[in-house]
Amino acid sequence: MTARALQIFLALSLACLWGASLGVAHWRGDMWFLGRVEATALDLRTLIRGSKEAPGVVTIIAIDDETVRQTGGYPIPRAALAKIIDAVASFKPKAIAVDILLVDPGPEADDLALAQSLSRTGTIIAAAAVYPQGKQWVAAKGGDPLAGVPDAERILLPLKRFTDSTKLGVVNVVTDSSGTPRFFPMLFRTGDQIHASLVLQAASVASGGDPGIEPDRILVGGRAIPTDIGHVLPINYFGPRGTIETLSAATVLNGRLTRESVHNRVVVIGAAVTGGGDVFHTPFDPVLPGVEVIATAITHLMTGDGLVRDKWTRLADIGSAVVLPMIFVGLLAWRRSAVGFAMIVCAALVWLAINMAAFSHGIWLSAALPIAAAAPPAILFGSAQIWLSRRRVQHFARQSELLQRFHAPALAKWLIQHPDFLSEPVRQDAAIVFIDLSGFTGLSEKLGPDAVRELLVAFYGLVEEEVSAHNGMIMSFTGDGAMIMFGLPKPTTGDASNAAQCCVRLSNRTRSWLAALPALIAPRIGFKIGAHFGVIVASRLGGGSHQEITATGDTVNLANRLMEVAAGHGAEVALSDEMLQKIGHDSELFKSGALRGPVATQIRGRSGPVAVWLWQDSQTR
């Protein structure tokens, strides 16, 4: 075997092992670190598919703003809720589910009226599972079909007078990192007891029988509904709010409910009032009422039109995770040129087409897993084999080296007049600001070097303008970010204020710049800013032929770490308490947005927490 053949064999073997290891984790449900990627890909596929008409099997009775206005407040009186339930029940729906937690006592007369109404109608009412530390999902273990159902700390039950003659259903959903509900658990466990969800209870009552529990599926009314790990039902959104037929509860209270709206349907009663808090972000709607999420899941159980994600789809995902990286590496080994890259793109497009076709037929194949399996082997092997990749790296290196040679004009003039400036290190107070683009590295892999350079030049230009306007100095451009200092060539009393004002202006300018980028680029890039005031060591670093003016010390390190804090808290700017004390907590500099804090934050590399203030522009909150 030749050396090249051995290299290819090793690369293919490692690619296979890498994909298989990710596949095993995916099978066990341990791929949480790819959750955001998969969620974004799922939203994109949903939007490409577009809205679709919901089957007419569920009607929502919404307690909306008009209902609250008529009844005099929210929550609405329980006597009014009883009237709604009785009116709906008079038209003989298949089932009535109430998505309202009735855990606190109300006026005795109202509670009595509601209890009597519930006993007459056999309505299903809501309960909620409480989990330790918010954990709602665990990986399946062993052969027990219920092994993947997580243990709840307790079930938050309605008042006993409401549960004597009704069925209970738990209303918890499983959300992703963005807060979008992705799954509706069918079962919940507390100790040795298993509790059904509100969704499952409503569908079972409507079908006229008890549900069946089997590995990887739920049986409802003779229909087998595939479920994912832990018997969770994937949610396939039909469209924005109102896609499922929704009637105002005020219509019911006013006696205008019609038979055809509820007869032989499942009716879900829940809140849709403004400010009620029970709303979720979905691909179609940033504020979809929780009652519509429940109605969507009930529709899936009644019609079987939900997404299929079960052991068979996960096996298909594992196959993609093993085969796709081997195809990519094999193509690069066969054609070490742009032709190889073109063939990889074609293979990726074929896979994407298959993935999208499957999704359009209700089959949820993972997008994040094959990407995570195929990208690293292809990049590592290609970087060692393809001349074009080496040329691109060299181009970026020359670009970075060129950009880092420039200093602020004021400092350049000072150096001409004082050639020995900082020949010896100097300790002084200074404000340090870091700004960095997030998501730029991944985007640069998809864009050509010329397009990347144009973006960087535009970004560096606006940074330089704002820093110069506020008497700061750019210490360095590092890839897609910058380190900025206020206090050179000499410290002044206004350094902290200038730095803070620069942070606000940089935030506004960068946000506007990102919004003006093409639609395919803008959503993929964000930014974060960190700022701190303290003691730094200003000095010259370098050899005899090239030297740089730089700042070092704990102040610099902390300012850099504060960017992570800003990103982690969803803010644009994170400032240390030291800087804010220097400026003054009531400074007018931050009036254009919201300044909150101090937040005690554990900073990587520090033994104790650091007080941090977070700023966000009012237009982006």
Side-chain angles (χ1 to χ4, degrees):
M1 183 180 291
T2 64
R4 172 162 174 75
L6 179 60
Q7 292 174 1
I8 295 173
F9 174 77
L10 289 175
L12 289 172
S13 299
L14 291 174
C16 178
L17 288 173
W18 169 251
S21 64
L22 291 180
V24 170
H26 178 64
W27 177 261
R28 297 174 55 193
D30 291 338
M31 296 292 286
W32 55 267
F33 50 90
L34 291 178
R36 184 174 291 275
V37 177
E38 184 61 34
T40 302
L42 184 62
D43 286 348
L44 181 61
R45 284 172 284 181
T46 303
L47 292 172
I48 292 174
R49 185 209 67 196
S51 299
K52 61 180 182 178
E53 184 178 355
V57 297
V58 179
T59 297
I60 298 170
I61 303 298
I63 299 173
D64 55 10
D65 293 345
E66 178 60 22
T67 308
V68 172
R69 188 188 67 79
Q70 288 191 20
T71 57
Y74 183 79
I76 65 172
R78 287 175 179 170
L81 180 58
K83 183 179 179 182
I84 294 169
I85 293 172
D86 289 337
V88 171
S90 67
F91 290 114
K92 301 189 182 308
K94 288 185 175 181
I96 303 175
V98 176
D99 179 27
I100 300 172
L101 290 174
L102 304 171
V103 295
D104 297 317
E108 179 63 22
D110 285 9
D111 283 358
L112 179 60
L114 180 57
Q116 292 173 346
S117 176
L118 293 174
S119 65
R120 287 193 300 269
T121 60
T123 301
I124 306 137
I125 60 176
V130 179
Y131 289 93
Q133 300 178 353
K135 185 178 182 181
Q136 296 190 43
W137 195 7
V138 298
K141 300 177 182 178
D144 183 358
L146 302 179
V149 178
D151 284 325
E153 188 176 82
R154 59 190 175 92
I155 298 294
L156 190 61
L157 297 173
L159 295 174
K160 187 176 185 306
R161 69 189 312 171
F162 299 138
T163 62
D164 288 340
S165 57
T166 60
K167 287 190 175 183
L168 295 178
V170 184
V171 293
N172 297 59
V173 296
V174 176
T175 60
D176 61 20
S177 55
S178 67
T180 299
R182 298 295 178 187
F183 301 93
F184 209 113
M186 296 292 97
L187 303 172
F188 300 84
R189 184 199 304 271
T190 54
D192 58 354
Q193 290 185 320
I194 297 296
H195 308 269
S197 67
L198 184 72
V199 168
L200 183 57
Q201 291 280 39
S204 299
V205 169
S207 66
D210 293 328
I213 310 299
E214 295 183 358
D216 305 308
R217 63 181 187 172
I218 297 286
L219 303 179
V220 179
R223 183 190 301 275
I225 307 297
T227 56
D228 202 1
I229 296 172
H231 283 89
V232 296
L233 181 72
I235 301 175
N236 188 15
Y237 293 101
F238 298 110
R241 70 157 60 194
T243 303
I244 296 177
E245 183 174 356
T246 302
L247 304 175
S248 172
T251 301
V252 182
L253 292 172
N254 293 335
R256 297 199 302 270
L257 180 66
T258 60
R259 175 184 177 84
E260 53 270 18
S261 297
V262 298
H263 179 64
N264 275 338
R265 293 191 178 194
V266 176
V267 177
V268 186
I269 303 172
V273 62
T274 302
D278 186 20
V279 294
F280 295 95
H281 179 276
T282 71
F284 295 108
D285 199 322
V287 286
L288 187 76
V291 65
E292 193 153 348
V293 178
I294 291 176
T296 302
I298 293 174
T299 302
H300 294 340
L301 290 181
M302 297 288 293
T303 64
D305 62 353
L307 287 175
V308 176
R309 196 183 198 197
D310 56 9
K311 65 178 182 180
W312 300 111
T313 60
R314 286 184 180 268
L315 281 173
D317 293 339
I318 294 172
S320 298
V322 172
V323 173
L324 202 62
M326 295 181 67
I327 291 176
F328 284 11
V329 170
L331 289 173
L332 281 175
W334 180 48
R335 291 278 186 171
R336 292 183 296 169
S337 64
V339 176
F341 282 113
M343 297 182 70
I344 288 176
V345 171
C346 290
L349 290 176
V350 169
W351 168 75
L352 286 172
I354 294 173
N355 191 290
M356 188 63 209
F359 184 80
S360 65
H361 288 82
I363 300 173
W364 178 1
L365 296 176
S366 175
L369 176 64
I371 292 172
I379 292 173
L380 291 174
F381 186 74
S383 63
Q385 300 288 322
I386 306 300
W387 174 83
L388 183 60
S389 295
R390 294 199 304 266
R391 184 168 179 253
R392 182 176 296 176
V393 171
Q394 293 169 359
H395 172 79
F396 287 149
R398 289 195 301 270
Q399 177 185 357
S400 178
E401 180 182 356
L402 177 64
L403 290 173
Q404 291 185 33
R405 290 171 52 191
F406 292 93
H407 288 296
L411 181 60
K413 293 180 181 179
W414 183 269
L415 286 171
I416 294 174
Q417 299 173 3
H418 305 85
D420 295 328
F421 179 63
L422 293 183
S423 57
E424 294 293 332
V426 174
R427 290 176 60 86
Q428 67 173 69
D429 287 337
I432 302 295
V433 175
F434 280 88
I435 182 172
D436 188 60
L437 296 178
S438 55
F440 188 82
T441 302
L443 181 64
S444 65
E445 295 176 2
K446 301 181 181 299
L447 301 177
D450 293 334
V452 172
R453 183 182 182 279
E454 290 178 5
L455 287 175
L456 287 175
V457 168
F459 174 62
Y460 291 160
L462 72 88
V463 171
E464 184 177 3
E465 289 177 10
E466 292 303 326
V467 172
S468 298
H470 295 91
N471 299 318
M473 187 185 82
I474 299 174
M475 304 300 294
S476 64
F477 286 114
T478 54
D480 53 4
M483 172 184 170
I484 306 161
M485 180 175 174
F486 295 81
L488 282 183
K490 293 190 298 184
T492 69
T493 56
D495 290 335
S497 297
N498 289 338
Q501 189 170 7
C502 183
C503 288
V504 173
R505 286 291 302 161
L506 274 178
S507 178
N508 294 334
R509 286 284 305 277
T510 305
R511 189 185 326 105
S512 299
W513 172 67
L514 291 176
L517 292 177
L520 293 177
I521 298 177
R524 301 184 179 183
I525 311 178
F527 69 96
K528 48 189 180 292
I529 299 173
H532 179 43
F533 185 90
V535 177
I536 57 97
V537 177
S539 62
R540 292 187 181 188
L541 294 179
S545 61
H546 175 75
Q547 291 186 330
E548 290 184 336
I549 302 294
T550 188
T552 56
D554 182 67
T555 298
V556 177
N557 296 333
L558 181 55
N560 186 281
R561 295 285 188 265
L562 287 177
M563 289 193 296
E564 301 176 5
V565 177
H569 286 78
E572 295 177 347
V573 182
L575 306 100
S576 67
D577 190 61
E578 290 83 351
M579 172 169 277
L580 205 62
Q581 289 181 5
K582 193 73 175 177
I583 303 167
H585 292 71
D586 298 326
S587 174
E588 292 292 312
L589 297 175
F590 303 103
K591 64 182 180 180
S592 62
L595 182 67
R596 54 190 174 93
V599 178
T601 306
Q602 190 64 45
I603 302 295
R604 180 160 51 94
R606 280 180 167 255
S607 59
V610 174
V612 179
W613 294 80
L614 303 167
W615 183 84
Q616 184 81 15
D617 184 81
S618 59
Q619 297 181 358
T620 62
R621 287 183 291 156

